[in-house]
Every structure is written in structure tokens, then in C-alpha cells.
Amino acid sequence: MLDRNHRANHRERSLLSKTGFMRALSPSALARLLDSAHITALPARATIFREGEPAMAFYALLSGYVRLYRVSRDGRQADIRICGPGDIFAECLIYGGDIYRFNAQAAENVSLARFDMQDVRELAEQDPTVSKAIMATLSDHLLSTMDCVVNDRLHTAPQRVADYLLTRCPSDNGPASIRLPYQKSLLAGMLGLAPEALSRAFSSLRRTGVTVRGRVIQIGDVEALKEI
Amino acid sequence: MLDRNHRANHRERSLLSKTGFMRALSPSALARLLDSAHITALPARATIFREGEPAMAFYALLSGYVRLYRVSRDGRQADIRICGPGDIFAECLIYGGDIYRFNAQAAENVSLARFDMQDVRELAEQDPTVSKAIMATLSDHLLSTMDCVVNDRLHTAPQRVADYLLTRCPSDNGPASIRLPYQKSLLAGMLGLAPEALSRAFSSLRRTGVTVRGRVIQIGDVEALKEI
DNA sequence: CGCGGAATTGATTTGCGTCAACACACGTGG
DNA sequence: CCACGTGTGTTGACGCAAATCAATTCCGCG
């Protein structure tokens, strides 16, 4: 357990300080924050926290992917957000309540940094760059969650998939190629689809020049995708 | 136009200072914020701002209801949030970008306060109670938007309606009565339903002891509603 | 090579959007 | 006072999108 839970070393401090959340912090706030971080490695499928538990900490993801989701009374699950390397999550509870409002689970082997909320609240009190970073992150998450609501209500499965592909497409015309960083069932969940529906959406996009082989997706013509 | 757009008078200052956003501000920050407010009255259906416009200000609602929504390329609309008296909106752009990301429209005659974002950014820089209020509001909005995503993905129309009724039910057992503060088409939109679907959901809830007459909704047994 | 999880495909069902017709309330003007 | 128009809500018929269930197939990996 000792090597699974330790203070941030040089490598981890460097990774963390490059994240969107920490990039704009003042040097002193950054140092104090990094000093307070606890690094943990977790295997795939491990639970990070559960809905209803007291929220003592929020997290930054160093590597791997994490699923935030809630379960209904009859056991069905709905993903709220998929976090990747550099993302922070549960930061909405720093000033938003003292209980986790959803479950967090490692989608694969992950390495993450844990920050005590109370410590960060005190840091924010003293250093406005910390407040600004929190506000920017909250705003960003709020806007993308709003996008998510709108997508769900306005777009069909093929449209959502096309949308997803376009947002992580390097070029904005001609052909392109994308490699999914995670398995398709995870992508399905983040688009609010059953895995079967994602599969069907991909096959319906074949007529628009999209080919799928494993995790690699070839787009014949980016412009054509935008028309969906 | 002069009586439509003026500085906050005593009554308006009092209303504003009771909102969740301003309640916890330091006296000096509150005073400066109220001094900077511009009060505007708008008729039903008036547009407050449009997606894509430069975001110079955010708003607090004094009376009436406001619809935040986005439109798809084929003209269909999806509501993101319905704001009521005391709510603030577009605050996610203080640190979240310089362009409005959705449309805001008065759902009825409204009175609202306008705050310049740059002024508030400067205020937040100097007074940590302002930052805290912004963070608390952003967190709150983020959490309720997450709830919205989960509801859409996990619950059927009657479940969402039951959920809505329960959240604004004074008592948590026995019979109860609720009066909708706005028209049903607005409620439909905020639940992500077509008006017809809301109507059907209500009539399917009749067998659970829910009766609707105009805007007044009688609930026979709150406990029974929770089982939906 | 063979095993197990992931992904695909097909058949079926369900929930809800859409369109259309109709009921109802309200205010206006004849 | 009533006829009328408009905006709002309800009801029915229909179709489509996607969830669900079940059966393979594919692929990665020991």
C-alpha cells in the first residue's frame, strides 16, 4: 500500500502543474497545492467514491480514465462525465455541499491526485488565483454539461457520434483518422447511448465515409460529417 | 426607455440582497455590486441575449421567469434552464468565455438586474466573498445540470413529472397541493418533454392520485408518488 | 490454442416526438 | 350579450429512435 499512496514526486508535480486547473496558479499557491496532494494508483473498476459518502476531497487525474455516474433505483446507470488525464473532478463540492452526489469509478488502471477540500478552501481564501482557477473549471464543466443536455435533447445517435468525432478531429476538412483513447462501451455511456446503439450509429455513418476498425476511426470527408 | 432601464431603487436593492447569490457577500461588496446594477423591465417573449453575441453582462432575475435555450440547425429548441425570481444566469461566462453560449428569453413580463462582468471580475479580485458566492452559484448550477442529464437518461416522462412535484412539495407524506408558477409548456420544456408528452404524463399519474385543474395540482398521497 | 470480455447484429418493445383535430378559456369588438 | 379569434392544453393516430433481449462473432491475452 505504501507505493500506492504517496506524496507527489517530480514527475507527478510536473504533470499536475500542466493541467488547465493549475496552469494559472501563482507559484506559491501551486507549490502549496502540490505539497498537499496525495497520489494514488487504482486498478480498473475500482471505486473512488460513492454517492452519499461525505465529500472530504476532490481529485485530479494523472493517467487513465474515470467514470462519474449515478444509478437509478432499479440499478441502471447513467454516466455524467468521463474524465481523462489532466481533468479534475468533484471540485463542484468545494463550495457545493458536503456529500458526493455521484459515483466515481476507474474505467481502467488510473493514477490520481487527491486534494483535501478544506485545505483548498483555505488556500482560495488567501490567494485569488486559486479562486479564479476553481471558477474557470466550474464554468467549463457547467458549459459542457449544458452542451450535454442539449445534445441529448436535440440530436440523434448518429449526430452525437458525428459531433464527438468532429470535436476531436485535428483538421476541419478532408480525410482524418482518430484513435479512441478508451473502449467503445465507455464512449457509448458518455454519449448517453447503449453500446448497441453506438455500434448501430457507427454503421449508419459508414454511408458518410466513416470506417471503424477496432479503436481506429477513419473519416473520409470531415465536411460531409458536418452535414449530419 | 428611461423608466425601463434605471439604477436599483430601495425595493430592488432589498430584493437582490436576499438572493442566494448576494446573501453572503460582505457589506461593502454588496453595496458596490448593487450600485453597479442596471434594472430593466421586459415584456413576455422579449429576447435578453442571443447565442453567439459578445457576453458583456450577466443577470439576476427580480420577477418573472426566463428561459435559457439553444436551437438546433433545423430550428428545434431545447431548454437548458428555467430561471425564476432570485436566480442569476449567464454567470458561467464571468470566467468561462466571452460569448453567450445560449439564448435567453423572457417567458413572461420580467424585471431583471444587469451586471457588467468586468466590474464583477475586478470586485472578485479584491473581495473573496464575491468569489465564494460565484463558486457556490456555479457549483449549484453544475450539480443541478448534472441532475438534469441523469433524469433525462434514467427516467421516463411520468417519473420526471413525479420527481418535479416531489421536489416542490411542502410536506413529504399524505396529500398536498401545488400551484405551478408558470404555464405548462414551460414546465414541459424544462423537463425535456414536448407539451403533449407532459399532458400524457399527468394523465398517467391520475391512477396514482394526481389531479390537475389548470395550474393547480392535487396530490392524493405523496408517499405513493415516490414509488413511481 | 482456447478462453473471456467486448463488440456486432437481429428481433422486439417501448417511449416519446410529431401531426392533426378538437376543447377550453380569455379578451375584443360588433 | 353573443360571435369570434387567439393562445393554451388535451386527446388520438402514427412513426421513429433507441432500449432491451438474445445470439453470435470478434479480438486480446494468457
Side-chain angles (χ1 to χ4, degrees):
Chain A
M1 197 49 110
L2 283 175
D3 59 327
R4 287 286 160 88
N5 194 328
H6 57 85
R7 298 285 173 164
N9 61 31
H10 296 306
R11 213 180 97 72
E12 290 150 356
R13 292 173 77 96
S14 153
L15 272 174
L16 284 170
S17 50
K18 288 193 190 76
T19 63
F21 177 59
M22 304 197 194
R23 209 190 329 251
L25 294 181
S26 69
S28 73
L30 179 62
R32 285 185 56 186
L33 199 62
L34 291 175
D35 288 344
S36 78
H38 286 258
I39 308 294
T40 314
L42 287 174
R45 295 170 186 282
T47 292
I48 300 165
F49 56 76
R50 264 187 261 270
E51 182 180 355
E53 289 178 359
M56 308 300 293
F58 70 95
Y59 295 85
L61 194 48
L62 291 165
S63 68
Y65 286 85
V66 164
R67 217 163 68 86
L68 309 183
Y69 66 98
R70 204 176 290 166
V71 306
S72 68
R73 231 175 323 152
D74 54 339
R76 280 160 50 238
Q77 306 189 347
D79 288 6
I80 294 169
R81 191 160 80 96
I82 304 299
C83 306
D87 281 346
I88 75 165
F89 58 94
E91 85 292 349
C92 50
L93 297 170
I94 302 177
Y95 291 93
D98 47 7
I99 279 179
Y100 289 119
R101 301 286 299 277
F102 40 77
N103 306 280
Q105 179 193 42
E108 46 187 87
N109 292 352
V110 299
S111 159
L112 38 82
R114 186 179 196 278
F115 299 94
D116 185 85
M117 296 218 196
Q118 191 51 42
D119 291 351
V120 176
R121 271 189 281 259
E122 283 162 19
L123 201 52
E125 195 88 28
Q126 295 159 22
D127 189 323
T129 67
V130 176
S131 299
K132 272 197 270 187
I134 295 174
M135 289 186 278
T137 303
L138 284 171
S139 300
D140 190 53
H141 288 170
L142 178 53
L143 287 167
S144 60
T145 308
M146 285 173 168
D147 284 350
C148 183
V149 172
V150 171
N151 268 323
D152 280 15
R153 295 182 173 179
L154 243 31
H155 299 322
T156 67
Q159 288 173 325
R160 275 180 258 176
V161 174
D163 211 61
Y164 172 87
L165 295 176
L166 289 172
T167 60
R168 35 215 89 197
C169 208
S171 74
D172 60 348
N173 57 34
S177 177
I178 293 173
R179 185 186 163 79
L180 295 180
Y182 31 64
Q183 45 190 29
K184 283 181 200 147
S185 56
L186 203 64
L187 174 60
M190 75 185 270
L191 296 178
L193 297 172
E196 299 94 318
L198 175 64
S199 191
R200 281 182 242 273
F202 271 130
S203 69
S204 93
L205 286 177
R206 263 204 296 267
R207 76 191 79 254
T208 324
V210 175
T211 36
V212 179
R213 231 181 31 256
R215 285 187 178 181
V216 178
I217 298 167
Q218 305 274 352
I219 301 170
D221 179 14
V222 173
E223 298 287 350
L225 250 198
K226 290 181 189 167
E227 299 305 314
I228 296 290
Chain B
M1 195 51 108
L2 284 174
D3 60 328
R4 285 287 160 86
N5 194 327
H6 57 85
R7 298 285 173 164
N9 60 31
H10 295 306
R11 213 181 97 71
E12 289 149 359
R13 291 172 77 97
S14 154
L15 273 174
L16 284 171
S17 48
K18 288 194 190 75
T19 64
F21 177 60
M22 303 195 194
R23 209 188 332 249
L25 294 181
S26 69
S28 73
L30 178 61
R32 285 185 55 187
L33 199 61
L34 291 176
D35 287 345
S36 78
H38 287 258
I39 309 295
T40 314
L42 287 174
R45 297 173 184 281
T47 292
I48 300 165
F49 56 75
R50 263 187 261 271
E51 181 180 356
E53 289 177 0
M56 308 301 291
F58 69 96
Y59 296 86
L61 194 46
L62 291 167
S63 69
Y65 286 84
V66 164
R67 217 163 68 85
L68 309 183
Y69 66 98
R70 205 175 289 165
V71 306
S72 69
R73 232 176 321 156
D74 54 340
R76 280 159 51 238
Q77 305 188 348
D79 287 5
I80 294 169
R81 191 159 80 94
I82 304 299
C83 305
D87 281 347
I88 75 165
F89 59 94
E91 85 292 349
C92 51
L93 297 170
I94 302 177
Y95 291 94
D98 48 6
I99 279 178
Y100 289 118
R101 301 284 299 276
F102 40 79
N103 306 281
Q105 179 194 40
E108 45 187 87
N109 291 353
V110 299
S111 159
L112 38 80
R114 187 179 195 279
F115 299 94
D116 185 83
M117 295 218 197
Q118 191 52 42
D119 291 351
V120 176
R121 270 188 282 260
E122 283 162 19
L123 200 52
E125 195 88 28
Q126 295 159 23
D127 189 322
T129 67
V130 175
S131 299
K132 273 197 270 187
I134 295 173
M135 288 187 279
T137 304
L138 283 171
S139 300
D140 191 52
H141 288 170
L142 178 53
L143 287 167
S144 59
T145 308
M146 285 174 169
D147 284 350
C148 182
V149 172
V150 170
N151 268 322
D152 279 15
R153 294 183 174 179
L154 241 31
H155 299 322
T156 67
Q159 289 173 326
R160 274 180 259 177
V161 175
D163 211 62
Y164 172 86
L165 294 177
L166 289 172
T167 59
R168 35 214 88 196
C169 208
S171 74
D172 60 348
N173 58 33
S177 178
I178 294 172
R179 185 185 163 80
L180 296 180
Y182 30 65
Q183 44 191 31
K184 284 183 197 143
S185 56
L186 203 63
L187 174 59
M190 76 184 267
L191 297 178
L193 296 173
E196 299 94 318
L198 175 65
S199 192
R200 281 183 242 273
F202 271 128
S203 67
S204 93
L205 287 178
R206 264 204 297 265
R207 76 192 77 253
T208 325
V210 175
T211 39
V212 179
R213 232 186 26 260
R215 285 187 178 182
V216 177
I217 297 167
Q218 304 274 352
I219 301 171
D221 180 14
V222 172
E223 297 287 351
L225 207 52
K226 290 183 188 164
E227 299 305 313
I228 295 290

